[in-house]
Amino acid sequence: MTTSPFDSYRPPEEGGRRRRRSGVRGAVTGAVSDAARGVAKGGRGAARGGTNWLKRDGGGRREAPAVPDAEFSSYYGRAVIKPVPWDYKIPAYLFVGGIAAGSGLIASGAAATGRELLRRNSRLTAMTGVALSGAFLVADLGRPERFLNMMRTVKLTSPMSVGTWILSGYAAFAGVTTASEVARLLPLPERGVVGVLTRALDVVDAPASVGQAFFAPPLAAYTAVLLSDTVTPVWFESRRQLPFVFVGSAALASAGVQMVLTPTEQTGPARRFALLGVVADLVAMHRLEEHLTRQDLDEPLRTGDGGAKLRLAKALTIAGGLGTLAAGRSRVVAVASGLALAGASALTRFGLVDAGMVSAKDPKYTVGPQKRRLEERRAAGTVHDSIVTVR
Amino acid sequence: MGYLARQLAGRTDPALDAGWEEPPSRKGFFTDTSICIGCKACEVACKEWNALPMDGSLDLTGNSYDNTGDLGASTWRHVAFVEQSKDRIEAARESGQRLVDLGMPTVGSPSQAPGVAGSASAKPLSKDGEDLRNPYQNSGGGTPAGYGTLPAPPEHGGPSLGDMLTEKEAVDNGADPLSAGGGLGTTVDGTPMVGPLPEFRWLMASDVCKHCTHAGCLDVCPTGALFRSEHGTVVVQADICNGCGYCVGACPFGVIERRSDDAVSVRGDGHVPDVGVAQKCTLCYDRLSHDQTPACAQTCPTTSIQFGAREDMVTAAQDRVAQLHEQGFTEARLYGANDDDGVGGTGSVFLLLDEPEVYGLPPDPVCATFKLPEMFRVAGWAGTGLLAAAAAAFLGGRR
């Protein structure tokens, strides 16, 4: 018993002190039945029924619950897995990498069909994109000075290692085609060392263009594997749809950029490419959402920052796609549609990365689906592959 | 099974796969949470030996007595404190009993019938398979056993399993299970084992890197900074790591983490080592190389953390869970001792007294790389589609 003078202000105690039976601890440490009993007694149930936080759970003498009742067991609501420590640079990398890959394909097609302006612009876009993506990748590392450690090894089980080599291969071919393009732009002497180099570039131009086209699809698609090969629930579960979303997004974004940069007379193929990309993106995204809904993982895709970005991305994709249909006649419409498509692609990447981060930080997205698939296996009579055993 | 097929999933010897010739036996932990007292000596010993900096500033989580939160770059051992009410204890016991009823596998030979396989000390139990499933079926219609005061200690620290089996046989032959001495054994202070459930309990569990057979972190590391040691463990080389953080997202247990610069140094000069580099438990690779025990296991005062050859650890875990089941603690279960699970079995085996997620462990972890062939295949189709779309766009007319 304390004897502080402030004790005189204390209200009289009503009966013995009891341990709180329904509360934050019980709820999040898995005492679901505790919480249920609390509701049944009218404690928290009544509180939820409209009274304010002051009256919750014991009229203000006990602490109000800080978190809502959890429907699953977890360790104080802490995340089970850790989110990947990536910031905005990785979705930005995905975006410019996609533009680089799509621009490479457009450049090769333009070179093969003799569209000079489209070829020049898309080649320069491809080089800019690949340089930017490399810069983003290096900047995102915790220790950028160690980037070369990536080049120590080739590791097929690591999508990042595979991707680094894809990016390097693509950059090598893009470097040659870009050099060839720059040599055409500059007033270079036709004799001497420079002249020899220019003629050599003319010779290797076509093979490098083919090489660039060969490395572009893996560059656009591997980033989906990069995300899927983690335990982040949204990314891992979307492993069958994500590559199609990403290649579609790469196609519409790169074509959109060319619709902005190049006159409409030469961007016919780019517009068709954009339309194919729009269709692929919308269909794949729809299937992705359906699949995640079945897995009970659609919430991060529909709510919060990620959800808002993905909704805006879908609207821009549709708007850009419709604009592309009409963009053959008007440069203004083409520029507007192109910008919409590029923005849609960026928002898709950022939205999906956001949704993945959200799904990693909340244990319900980890524990819930895992428990469900475990129960399904057990219901089917499969018990040999569980991490929990008895005896 | 071929070398390549073993690399992504299934049972295998990881050290042999990694190319070690005649490696020593695979090492591992057995963490018996039923006798953990939550003293955190393991946390402290780990920090001291490995010179780990403080985790962040002195923020307390406010969760029970856990001021660490979870495993991370600077916390390689973490003691969880779970507060549980009577209802939850009942639920845990029931879920454990349900696992037994499901016929969950004995470790090592899932093809054999449960109860027949297993360790030597489990054999006396298995002469009557039904007894093993529910040892109390004959003792008064499922009388709740256990929770006198403490779980009985392991064999070398309390009543022997043999004594308890004798007593159990006496009960089976008609003795009163509730009578003192004629019951199902006594706890360490002599209280009969049969008693009411407590109103409240703490689960304390020391968590650590699992050193998986198929380690997601190791698979996805693009630099080779993570490697498989000759002891079958997974170790990070700080000087090779480039800080990409991919391993962080690939660990199904949320163990490995990139050390951020908001960690406060315990050293006087303010220097925090290895910032921006992924860090995790090495299973004291430096000590193992000199036939030493890892710091956490050596300092554990209750033998809750045991260290040794993984086979021995799995056997010890099986014996212990059999003993606890025999005493009525049906909530006891093993975590990570199954070579057929999603990560091919873990080097660190745990005995838990409730569902894994209660301790912050995933209930069905899968090494994501297990699905990598499928992912690359789908990506291949997507890339081919992109190429075809580009071709179609350019071949589809001159305009």
Side-chain angles (χ1 to χ4, degrees), chain A residues 37 75-76 82 115 143 149 152 155 157-158 226 371 373 384 389, chain B residues 66 71 87 218 220 223 238 240 246 254 334 338 357 364 398:
Chain A
R37 185 188 300 172
Y75 186 64
Y76 299 115
K82 290 197 160 55
R115 292 173 167 88
R143 298 202 299 183
N149 282 352
R152 289 173 71 246
K155 216 167 144 185
T157 58
S158 170
L226 183 79
K371 273 200 89 83
R373 76 181 178 220
H384 73 280
T389 52
Chain B
D66 182 2
L71 293 172
D87 301 8
L218 174 59
V220 303
T223 64
I240 306 293
Y246 203 17
L334 296 183
N338 187 356
E357 61 269 22
D364 186 32
R398 280 303 302 171

PDB file of all heavy atoms in Angstrom, chain A residues 37 75-76 82 115 143 149 152 155 157-158 226 371 373 384 389, chain B residues 66 71 87 218 220 223 238 240 246 254 334 338 357 364 398:
ATOM      1  N   ARG A  37     -14.943 -14.212 -25.853  1.00  0.00           N
ATOM      2  CA  ARG A  37     -15.647 -14.143 -24.582  1.00  0.00           C
ATOM      3  C   ARG A  37     -15.869 -12.689 -24.173  1.00  0.00           C
ATOM      4  O   ARG A  37     -16.912 -12.323 -23.647  1.00  0.00           O
ATOM      5  CB  ARG A  37     -14.840 -14.874 -23.511  1.00  0.00           C
ATOM      6  CG  ARG A  37     -15.584 -14.945 -22.197  1.00  0.00           C
ATOM      7  CD  ARG A  37     -14.714 -15.497 -21.112  1.00  0.00           C
ATOM      8  NE  ARG A  37     -14.248 -16.848 -21.422  1.00  0.00           N
ATOM      9  CZ  ARG A  37     -13.347 -17.467 -20.677  1.00  0.00           C
ATOM     10  NH1 ARG A  37     -12.821 -16.872 -19.626  1.00  0.00           N
ATOM     11  NH2 ARG A  37     -12.960 -18.675 -20.977  1.00  0.00           N
ATOM     12  N   TYR A  75       2.696 -13.510 -33.324  1.00  0.00           N
ATOM     13  CA  TYR A  75       3.505 -13.073 -32.211  1.00  0.00           C
ATOM     14  C   TYR A  75       3.374 -11.560 -32.088  1.00  0.00           C
ATOM     15  O   TYR A  75       4.096 -10.807 -32.728  1.00  0.00           O
ATOM     16  CB  TYR A  75       4.952 -13.493 -32.398  1.00  0.00           C
ATOM     17  CG  TYR A  75       5.829 -13.183 -31.207  1.00  0.00           C
ATOM     18  CD1 TYR A  75       5.590 -13.791 -29.989  1.00  0.00           C
ATOM     19  CD2 TYR A  75       6.857 -12.276 -31.299  1.00  0.00           C
ATOM     20  CE1 TYR A  75       6.363 -13.511 -28.890  1.00  0.00           C
ATOM     21  CE2 TYR A  75       7.645 -11.987 -30.206  1.00  0.00           C
ATOM     22  CZ  TYR A  75       7.389 -12.604 -28.999  1.00  0.00           C
ATOM     23  OH  TYR A  75       8.158 -12.314 -27.905  1.00  0.00           O
ATOM     24  N   TYR A  76       2.443 -11.106 -31.267  1.00  0.00           N
ATOM     25  CA  TYR A  76       2.200  -9.683 -31.049  1.00  0.00           C
ATOM     26  C   TYR A  76       2.027  -8.914 -32.352  1.00  0.00           C
ATOM     27  O   TYR A  76       2.406  -7.749 -32.463  1.00  0.00           O
ATOM     28  CB  TYR A  76       3.328  -9.062 -30.219  1.00  0.00           C
ATOM     29  CG  TYR A  76       3.451  -9.688 -28.860  1.00  0.00           C
ATOM     30  CD1 TYR A  76       4.586 -10.395 -28.513  1.00  0.00           C
ATOM     31  CD2 TYR A  76       2.416  -9.604 -27.940  1.00  0.00           C
ATOM     32  CE1 TYR A  76       4.692 -11.006 -27.269  1.00  0.00           C
ATOM     33  CE2 TYR A  76       2.507 -10.214 -26.706  1.00  0.00           C
ATOM     34  CZ  TYR A  76       3.642 -10.906 -26.365  1.00  0.00           C
ATOM     35  OH  TYR A  76       3.717 -11.513 -25.156  1.00  0.00           O
ATOM     36  N   LYS A  82      10.449 -10.813 -43.478  1.00  0.00           N
ATOM     37  CA  LYS A  82      10.922  -9.433 -43.581  1.00  0.00           C
ATOM     38  C   LYS A  82      10.684  -8.926 -44.999  1.00  0.00           C
ATOM     39  O   LYS A  82      10.950  -9.643 -45.956  1.00  0.00           O
ATOM     40  CB  LYS A  82      12.411  -9.371 -43.254  1.00  0.00           C
ATOM     41  CG  LYS A  82      12.691  -9.637 -41.791  1.00  0.00           C
ATOM     42  CD  LYS A  82      14.069  -9.168 -41.394  1.00  0.00           C
ATOM     43  CE  LYS A  82      14.158  -8.980 -39.907  1.00  0.00           C
ATOM     44  NZ  LYS A  82      13.771 -10.182 -39.139  1.00  0.00           N
ATOM     45  N   ARG A 115      12.850   2.171 -91.033  1.00  0.00           N
ATOM     46  CA  ARG A 115      12.252   3.401 -90.497  1.00  0.00           C
ATOM     47  C   ARG A 115      13.330   4.133 -89.717  1.00  0.00           C
ATOM     48  O   ARG A 115      13.585   3.824 -88.555  1.00  0.00           O
ATOM     49  CB  ARG A 115      11.072   3.057 -89.585  1.00  0.00           C
ATOM     50  CG  ARG A 115       9.892   2.472 -90.316  1.00  0.00           C
ATOM     51  CD  ARG A 115       8.847   2.014 -89.330  1.00  0.00           C
ATOM     52  NE  ARG A 115       7.584   1.720 -89.973  1.00  0.00           N
ATOM     53  CZ  ARG A 115       7.279   0.535 -90.489  1.00  0.00           C
ATOM     54  NH1 ARG A 115       8.150  -0.444 -90.434  1.00  0.00           N
ATOM     55  NH2 ARG A 115       6.108   0.339 -91.061  1.00  0.00           N
ATOM     56  N   ARG A 143      25.791  -1.260 -50.537  1.00  0.00           N
ATOM     57  CA  ARG A 143      27.171  -0.809 -50.740  1.00  0.00           C
ATOM     58  C   ARG A 143      27.469  -0.798 -52.232  1.00  0.00           C
ATOM     59  O   ARG A 143      27.964  -1.771 -52.791  1.00  0.00           O
ATOM     60  CB  ARG A 143      28.135  -1.763 -50.019  1.00  0.00           C
ATOM     61  CG  ARG A 143      27.911  -1.775 -48.526  1.00  0.00           C
ATOM     62  CD  ARG A 143      29.120  -2.252 -47.783  1.00  0.00           C
ATOM     63  NE  ARG A 143      29.480  -3.611 -48.151  1.00  0.00           N
ATOM     64  CZ  ARG A 143      30.488  -4.269 -47.582  1.00  0.00           C
ATOM     65  NH1 ARG A 143      31.209  -3.682 -46.650  1.00  0.00           N
ATOM     66  NH2 ARG A 143      30.767  -5.489 -47.928  1.00  0.00           N
ATOM     67  N   ASN A 149      31.018  -7.242 -57.300  1.00  0.00           N
ATOM     68  CA  ASN A 149      30.912  -8.586 -56.729  1.00  0.00           C
ATOM     69  C   ASN A 149      29.859  -9.426 -57.451  1.00  0.00           C
ATOM     70  O   ASN A 149      29.908 -10.649 -57.418  1.00  0.00           O
ATOM     71  CB  ASN A 149      30.581  -8.509 -55.232  1.00  0.00           C
ATOM     72  CG  ASN A 149      31.806  -8.170 -54.408  1.00  0.00           C
ATOM     73  OD1 ASN A 149      32.909  -8.144 -54.931  1.00  0.00           O
ATOM     74  ND2 ASN A 149      31.601  -7.912 -53.133  1.00  0.00           N
ATOM     75  N   ARG A 152      31.327 -11.574 -60.060  1.00  0.00           N
ATOM     76  CA  ARG A 152      32.224 -12.649 -59.656  1.00  0.00           C
ATOM     77  C   ARG A 152      31.686 -14.008 -60.074  1.00  0.00           C
ATOM     78  O   ARG A 152      32.416 -14.974 -60.172  1.00  0.00           O
ATOM     79  CB  ARG A 152      32.395 -12.664 -58.135  1.00  0.00           C
ATOM     80  CG  ARG A 152      33.198 -11.544 -57.560  1.00  0.00           C
ATOM     81  CD  ARG A 152      33.137 -11.612 -56.050  1.00  0.00           C
ATOM     82  NE  ARG A 152      33.892 -12.742 -55.519  1.00  0.00           N
ATOM     83  CZ  ARG A 152      33.367 -13.766 -54.895  1.00  0.00           C
ATOM     84  NH1 ARG A 152      32.078 -13.837 -54.726  1.00  0.00           N
ATOM     85  NH2 ARG A 152      34.115 -14.723 -54.440  1.00  0.00           N
ATOM     86  N   LYS A 155      25.054 -17.455 -61.299  1.00  0.00           N
ATOM     87  CA  LYS A 155      24.318 -18.339 -60.403  1.00  0.00           C
ATOM     88  C   LYS A 155      22.897 -18.491 -60.920  1.00  0.00           C
ATOM     89  O   LYS A 155      22.100 -17.564 -60.863  1.00  0.00           O
ATOM     90  CB  LYS A 155      24.315 -17.712 -59.006  1.00  0.00           C
ATOM     91  CG  LYS A 155      24.416 -18.732 -57.903  1.00  0.00           C
ATOM     92  CD  LYS A 155      24.727 -18.057 -56.612  1.00  0.00           C
ATOM     93  CE  LYS A 155      24.016 -18.742 -55.491  1.00  0.00           C
ATOM     94  NZ  LYS A 155      24.192 -18.062 -54.230  1.00  0.00           N
ATOM     95  N   THR A 157      20.441 -20.144 -59.794  1.00  0.00           N
ATOM     96  CA  THR A 157      19.364 -20.128 -58.807  1.00  0.00           C
ATOM     97  C   THR A 157      19.045 -18.721 -58.338  1.00  0.00           C
ATOM     98  O   THR A 157      18.117 -18.536 -57.559  1.00  0.00           O
ATOM     99  CB  THR A 157      19.723 -20.968 -57.578  1.00  0.00           C
ATOM    100  OG1 THR A 157      20.931 -20.462 -57.019  1.00  0.00           O
ATOM    101  CG2 THR A 157      19.893 -22.422 -57.934  1.00  0.00           C
ATOM    102  N   SER A 158      19.825 -17.745 -58.772  1.00  0.00           N
ATOM    103  CA  SER A 158      19.580 -16.376 -58.338  1.00  0.00           C
ATOM    104  C   SER A 158      19.102 -15.530 -59.515  1.00  0.00           C
ATOM    105  O   SER A 158      19.892 -15.191 -60.402  1.00  0.00           O
ATOM    106  CB  SER A 158      20.853 -15.769 -57.767  1.00  0.00           C
ATOM    107  OG  SER A 158      20.665 -14.392 -57.562  1.00  0.00           O
ATOM    108  N   LEU A 226      12.404 -12.068 -60.710  1.00  0.00           N
ATOM    109  CA  LEU A 226      13.131 -11.430 -59.607  1.00  0.00           C
ATOM    110  C   LEU A 226      12.200 -11.185 -58.424  1.00  0.00           C
ATOM    111  O   LEU A 226      12.544 -11.466 -57.278  1.00  0.00           O
ATOM    112  CB  LEU A 226      13.722 -10.103 -60.103  1.00  0.00           C
ATOM    113  CG  LEU A 226      14.567  -9.314 -59.117  1.00  0.00           C
ATOM    114  CD1 LEU A 226      15.955  -9.920 -59.028  1.00  0.00           C
ATOM    115  CD2 LEU A 226      14.672  -7.857 -59.514  1.00  0.00           C
ATOM    116  N   LYS A 371      -1.472 -21.348 -43.603  1.00  0.00           N
ATOM    117  CA  LYS A 371      -2.289 -22.251 -42.793  1.00  0.00           C
ATOM    118  C   LYS A 371      -3.361 -22.913 -43.654  1.00  0.00           C
ATOM    119  O   LYS A 371      -3.669 -24.085 -43.487  1.00  0.00           O
ATOM    120  CB  LYS A 371      -2.956 -21.474 -41.645  1.00  0.00           C
ATOM    121  CG  LYS A 371      -2.104 -21.359 -40.428  1.00  0.00           C
ATOM    122  CD  LYS A 371      -2.912 -21.052 -39.200  1.00  0.00           C
ATOM    123  CE  LYS A 371      -3.400 -22.285 -38.507  1.00  0.00           C
ATOM    124  NZ  LYS A 371      -2.452 -22.911 -37.619  1.00  0.00           N
ATOM    125  N   ARG A 373      -3.278 -23.547 -46.904  1.00  0.00           N
ATOM    126  CA  ARG A 373      -2.790 -24.603 -47.793  1.00  0.00           C
ATOM    127  C   ARG A 373      -2.353 -25.827 -46.990  1.00  0.00           C
ATOM    128  O   ARG A 373      -2.469 -26.960 -47.454  1.00  0.00           O
ATOM    129  CB  ARG A 373      -1.677 -24.076 -48.699  1.00  0.00           C
ATOM    130  CG  ARG A 373      -0.335 -23.896 -48.070  1.00  0.00           C
ATOM    131  CD  ARG A 373       0.667 -23.343 -49.080  1.00  0.00           C
ATOM    132  NE  ARG A 373       1.948 -23.138 -48.446  1.00  0.00           N
ATOM    133  CZ  ARG A 373       2.737 -22.105 -48.675  1.00  0.00           C
ATOM    134  NH1 ARG A 373       2.374 -21.177 -49.533  1.00  0.00           N
ATOM    135  NH2 ARG A 373       3.899 -21.996 -48.063  1.00  0.00           N
ATOM    136  N   HIS A 384       2.908 -35.887 -44.745  1.00  0.00           N
ATOM    137  CA  HIS A 384       4.333 -36.186 -44.609  1.00  0.00           C
ATOM    138  C   HIS A 384       5.216 -34.968 -44.827  1.00  0.00           C
ATOM    139  O   HIS A 384       6.385 -34.996 -44.505  1.00  0.00           O
ATOM    140  CB  HIS A 384       4.735 -37.287 -45.591  1.00  0.00           C
ATOM    141  CG  HIS A 384       4.782 -36.814 -47.014  1.00  0.00           C
ATOM    142  ND1 HIS A 384       3.650 -36.691 -47.775  1.00  0.00           N
ATOM    143  CD2 HIS A 384       5.813 -36.408 -47.782  1.00  0.00           C
ATOM    144  CE1 HIS A 384       3.982 -36.244 -48.969  1.00  0.00           C
ATOM    145  NE2 HIS A 384       5.286 -36.046 -48.995  1.00  0.00           N
ATOM    146  N   THR A 389       5.918 -31.649 -36.819  1.00  0.00           N
ATOM    147  CA  THR A 389       5.711 -33.075 -36.653  1.00  0.00           C
ATOM    148  C   THR A 389       5.504 -33.367 -35.179  1.00  0.00           C
ATOM    149  O   THR A 389       5.831 -32.552 -34.313  1.00  0.00           O
ATOM    150  CB  THR A 389       6.930 -33.874 -37.155  1.00  0.00           C
ATOM    151  OG1 THR A 389       8.098 -33.341 -36.537  1.00  0.00           O
ATOM    152  CG2 THR A 389       7.077 -33.766 -38.652  1.00  0.00           C
TER     153      THR A 389
ATOM    154  N   ASP B  66       9.657  -9.063 -23.961  1.00  0.00           N
ATOM    155  CA  ASP B  66      10.473  -9.117 -25.166  1.00  0.00           C
ATOM    156  C   ASP B  66      10.818  -7.700 -25.604  1.00  0.00           C
ATOM    157  O   ASP B  66       9.970  -6.978 -26.112  1.00  0.00           O
ATOM    158  CB  ASP B  66       9.690  -9.837 -26.265  1.00  0.00           C
ATOM    159  CG  ASP B  66      10.503  -9.976 -27.527  1.00  0.00           C
ATOM    160  OD1 ASP B  66      11.667  -9.553 -27.527  1.00  0.00           O
ATOM    161  OD2 ASP B  66       9.968 -10.515 -28.507  1.00  0.00           O
ATOM    162  N   LEU B  71      14.302 -11.611 -34.905  1.00  0.00           N
ATOM    163  CA  LEU B  71      15.662 -11.799 -35.385  1.00  0.00           C
ATOM    164  C   LEU B  71      15.979 -10.725 -36.409  1.00  0.00           C
ATOM    165  O   LEU B  71      15.092 -10.228 -37.097  1.00  0.00           O
ATOM    166  CB  LEU B  71      15.799 -13.180 -36.027  1.00  0.00           C
ATOM    167  CG  LEU B  71      15.675 -14.361 -35.072  1.00  0.00           C
ATOM    168  CD1 LEU B  71      15.624 -15.659 -35.869  1.00  0.00           C
ATOM    169  CD2 LEU B  71      16.842 -14.405 -34.104  1.00  0.00           C
ATOM    170  N   ASP B  87      -7.550 -20.801 -21.749  1.00  0.00           N
ATOM    171  CA  ASP B  87      -8.225 -21.244 -22.968  1.00  0.00           C
ATOM    172  C   ASP B  87      -7.221 -21.597 -24.045  1.00  0.00           C
ATOM    173  O   ASP B  87      -7.363 -22.572 -24.773  1.00  0.00           O
ATOM    174  CB  ASP B  87      -9.126 -20.124 -23.525  1.00  0.00           C
ATOM    175  CG  ASP B  87     -10.163 -19.703 -22.531  1.00  0.00           C
ATOM    176  OD1 ASP B  87     -10.072 -20.165 -21.386  1.00  0.00           O
ATOM    177  OD2 ASP B  87     -11.043 -18.908 -22.898  1.00  0.00           O
ATOM    178  N   LEU B 218      20.504 -18.336 -49.446  1.00  0.00           N
ATOM    179  CA  LEU B 218      21.715 -18.814 -50.126  1.00  0.00           C
ATOM    180  C   LEU B 218      21.467 -18.954 -51.624  1.00  0.00           C
ATOM    181  O   LEU B 218      22.312 -18.580 -52.442  1.00  0.00           O
ATOM    182  CB  LEU B 218      22.112 -20.158 -49.501  1.00  0.00           C
ATOM    183  CG  LEU B 218      23.251 -20.945 -50.108  1.00  0.00           C
ATOM    184  CD1 LEU B 218      24.518 -20.133 -50.094  1.00  0.00           C
ATOM    185  CD2 LEU B 218      23.458 -22.224 -49.330  1.00  0.00           C
ATOM    186  N   VAL B 220      19.436 -17.324 -53.619  1.00  0.00           N
ATOM    187  CA  VAL B 220      19.241 -16.123 -54.432  1.00  0.00           C
ATOM    188  C   VAL B 220      20.403 -15.137 -54.332  1.00  0.00           C
ATOM    189  O   VAL B 220      20.413 -14.143 -55.043  1.00  0.00           O
ATOM    190  CB  VAL B 220      17.943 -15.380 -54.057  1.00  0.00           C
ATOM    191  CG1 VAL B 220      16.750 -16.301 -54.185  1.00  0.00           C
ATOM    192  CG2 VAL B 220      18.031 -14.788 -52.676  1.00  0.00           C
ATOM    193  N   THR B 223      26.018 -12.778 -55.400  1.00  0.00           N
ATOM    194  CA  THR B 223      27.459 -12.565 -55.362  1.00  0.00           C
ATOM    195  C   THR B 223      28.236 -13.752 -54.821  1.00  0.00           C
ATOM    196  O   THR B 223      29.454 -13.781 -54.933  1.00  0.00           O
ATOM    197  CB  THR B 223      27.810 -11.372 -54.451  1.00  0.00           C
ATOM    198  OG1 THR B 223      27.419 -11.706 -53.120  1.00  0.00           O
ATOM    199  CG2 THR B 223      27.108 -10.124 -54.886  1.00  0.00           C
ATOM    200  N   ALA B 238      30.856 -11.013 -44.995  1.00  0.00           N
ATOM    201  CA  ALA B 238      30.524  -9.587 -45.025  1.00  0.00           C
ATOM    202  C   ALA B 238      31.315  -8.844 -46.096  1.00  0.00           C
ATOM    203  O   ALA B 238      30.841  -7.852 -46.648  1.00  0.00           O
ATOM    204  CB  ALA B 238      30.790  -8.969 -43.655  1.00  0.00           C
ATOM    205  N   ILE B 240      32.141  -9.828 -49.062  1.00  0.00           N
ATOM    206  CA  ILE B 240      31.713 -10.103 -50.431  1.00  0.00           C
ATOM    207  C   ILE B 240      30.320  -9.528 -50.676  1.00  0.00           C
ATOM    208  O   ILE B 240      29.967  -9.141 -51.783  1.00  0.00           O
ATOM    209  CB  ILE B 240      31.685 -11.624 -50.708  1.00  0.00           C
ATOM    210  CG1 ILE B 240      33.033 -12.248 -50.363  1.00  0.00           C
ATOM    211  CG2 ILE B 240      31.332 -11.912 -52.148  1.00  0.00           C
ATOM    212  CD1 ILE B 240      34.156 -11.828 -51.249  1.00  0.00           C
ATOM    213  N   TYR B 246      18.504  -9.045 -51.426  1.00  0.00           N
ATOM    214  CA  TYR B 246      17.623 -10.053 -52.009  1.00  0.00           C
ATOM    215  C   TYR B 246      17.389 -11.218 -51.040  1.00  0.00           C
ATOM    216  O   TYR B 246      16.287 -11.757 -50.953  1.00  0.00           O
ATOM    217  CB  TYR B 246      18.248 -10.559 -53.309  1.00  0.00           C
ATOM    218  CG  TYR B 246      17.277 -11.162 -54.281  1.00  0.00           C
ATOM    219  CD1 TYR B 246      15.910 -10.935 -54.167  1.00  0.00           C
ATOM    220  CD2 TYR B 246      17.714 -11.951 -55.335  1.00  0.00           C
ATOM    221  CE1 TYR B 246      15.023 -11.489 -55.073  1.00  0.00           C
ATOM    222  CE2 TYR B 246      16.840 -12.503 -56.245  1.00  0.00           C
ATOM    223  CZ  TYR B 246      15.491 -12.274 -56.100  1.00  0.00           C
ATOM    224  OH  TYR B 246      14.613 -12.818 -56.998  1.00  0.00           O
ATOM    225  N   GLY B 254      12.091 -15.005 -42.127  1.00  0.00           N
ATOM    226  CA  GLY B 254      12.363 -13.627 -41.730  1.00  0.00           C
ATOM    227  C   GLY B 254      13.570 -13.502 -40.824  1.00  0.00           C
ATOM    228  O   GLY B 254      13.546 -12.729 -39.872  1.00  0.00           O
ATOM    229  N   LEU B 334       7.269 -30.914 -32.766  1.00  0.00           N
ATOM    230  CA  LEU B 334       8.582 -30.545 -33.297  1.00  0.00           C
ATOM    231  C   LEU B 334       8.403 -29.627 -34.499  1.00  0.00           C
ATOM    232  O   LEU B 334       7.434 -29.740 -35.241  1.00  0.00           O
ATOM    233  CB  LEU B 334       9.365 -31.788 -33.717  1.00  0.00           C
ATOM    234  CG  LEU B 334       9.719 -32.741 -32.593  1.00  0.00           C
ATOM    235  CD1 LEU B 334      10.555 -33.880 -33.137  1.00  0.00           C
ATOM    236  CD2 LEU B 334      10.493 -32.010 -31.502  1.00  0.00           C
ATOM    237  N   ASN B 338      11.535 -32.294 -40.067  1.00  0.00           N
ATOM    238  CA  ASN B 338      11.041 -33.141 -41.143  1.00  0.00           C
ATOM    239  C   ASN B 338      11.777 -32.812 -42.450  1.00  0.00           C
ATOM    240  O   ASN B 338      11.682 -31.698 -42.954  1.00  0.00           O
ATOM    241  CB  ASN B 338       9.539 -32.899 -41.307  1.00  0.00           C
ATOM    242  CG  ASN B 338       8.911 -33.853 -42.289  1.00  0.00           C
ATOM    243  OD1 ASN B 338       9.610 -34.657 -42.904  1.00  0.00           O
ATOM    244  ND2 ASN B 338       7.608 -33.763 -42.444  1.00  0.00           N
ATOM    245  N   GLU B 357       2.909 -20.220 -35.484  1.00  0.00           N
ATOM    246  CA  GLU B 357       2.679 -18.795 -35.684  1.00  0.00           C
ATOM    247  C   GLU B 357       2.539 -18.049 -34.364  1.00  0.00           C
ATOM    248  O   GLU B 357       2.732 -16.832 -34.309  1.00  0.00           O
ATOM    249  CB  GLU B 357       1.451 -18.553 -36.570  1.00  0.00           C
ATOM    250  CG  GLU B 357       0.144 -19.083 -36.030  1.00  0.00           C
ATOM    251  CD  GLU B 357      -0.131 -20.498 -36.510  1.00  0.00           C
ATOM    252  OE1 GLU B 357       0.835 -21.186 -36.891  1.00  0.00           O
ATOM    253  OE2 GLU B 357      -1.304 -20.918 -36.482  1.00  0.00           O
ATOM    254  N   ASP B 364       3.865 -22.955 -42.624  1.00  0.00           N
ATOM    255  CA  ASP B 364       4.184 -23.834 -43.752  1.00  0.00           C
ATOM    256  C   ASP B 364       5.169 -23.128 -44.680  1.00  0.00           C
ATOM    257  O   ASP B 364       4.833 -22.776 -45.802  1.00  0.00           O
ATOM    258  CB  ASP B 364       2.901 -24.208 -44.513  1.00  0.00           C
ATOM    259  CG  ASP B 364       3.178 -25.240 -45.593  1.00  0.00           C
ATOM    260  OD1 ASP B 364       4.079 -26.073 -45.404  1.00  0.00           O
ATOM    261  OD2 ASP B 364       2.505 -25.213 -46.631  1.00  0.00           O
ATOM    262  N   ARG B 398       2.739  -1.877 -93.857  1.00  0.00           N
ATOM    263  CA  ARG B 398       3.780  -0.869 -94.018  1.00  0.00           C
ATOM    264  C   ARG B 398       3.514   0.368 -93.174  1.00  0.00           C
ATOM    265  O   ARG B 398       4.441   1.048 -92.756  1.00  0.00           O
ATOM    266  CB  ARG B 398       3.879  -0.451 -95.483  1.00  0.00           C
ATOM    267  CG  ARG B 398       4.660  -1.401 -96.355  1.00  0.00           C
ATOM    268  CD  ARG B 398       6.090  -1.636 -95.881  1.00  0.00           C
ATOM    269  NE  ARG B 398       6.887  -0.405 -95.800  1.00  0.00           N
ATOM    270  CZ  ARG B 398       8.094  -0.339 -95.259  1.00  0.00           C
ATOM    271  NH1 ARG B 398       8.626  -1.419 -94.715  1.00  0.00           N
ATOM    272  NH2 ARG B 398       8.762   0.788 -95.233  1.00  0.00           N
TER     273      ARG B 398
END
